[in-house]
Amino acid sequence: MSKPNLNNLLQQKAELEARIQQTKNREIAEERKRDTRRKILAGAYVIKLADNDLKKLGKELIAAGMLEPRDYTLFGVANDFNDFDSNRLALI
């Protein structure tokens, strides 16, 4: 193989690898968008199941170990839960 042809092939290879990576990145970004959409819809459904009572939902999430203290204010719950039975989970 002549030198110029080898250089052309290496350049084409690099361009194809770049296109492959761009396509992979685009697919990853699209899947992240779909996952976010699923989470939004599932969250909306759970809020609806809790009759839009975010405080009640926040307590349920804490009991399930799914809510971090930094997120308590999002649900309007205090930092102590002495009046909440953490052994009971019921949205309905």
Side-chain angles (χ1 to χ4, degrees), residues 61-74:
L61 290 171
I62 290 168
M66 297 179 68
L67 197 64
E68 295 181 17
R70 67 182 180 152
D71 298 323
Y72 289 178
T73 58
L74 293 172

Side-chain angles (χ1 to χ4, degrees), residues 2 4 18-19 21 23 34-36 43 45 47 52 69 71 77:
S2 66
R19 286 177 50 199
Q21 191 59 48
T23 301
R34 286 189 295 272
D35 188 49
T36 299
Y45 179 70
I47 290 170
N52 289 319
D71 298 323
V77 293

Side-chain angles (χ1 to χ4, degrees), residues 11-28:
Q11 182 180 354
Q12 288 176 352
K13 179 184 175 190
E15 290 171 0
L16 282 174
E17 287 174 350
R19 286 177 50 199
I20 289 169
Q21 191 59 48
Q22 288 173 346
T23 301
K24 285 181 180 179
N25 290 343
R26 192 171 28 255
E27 288 176 0
I28 289 169

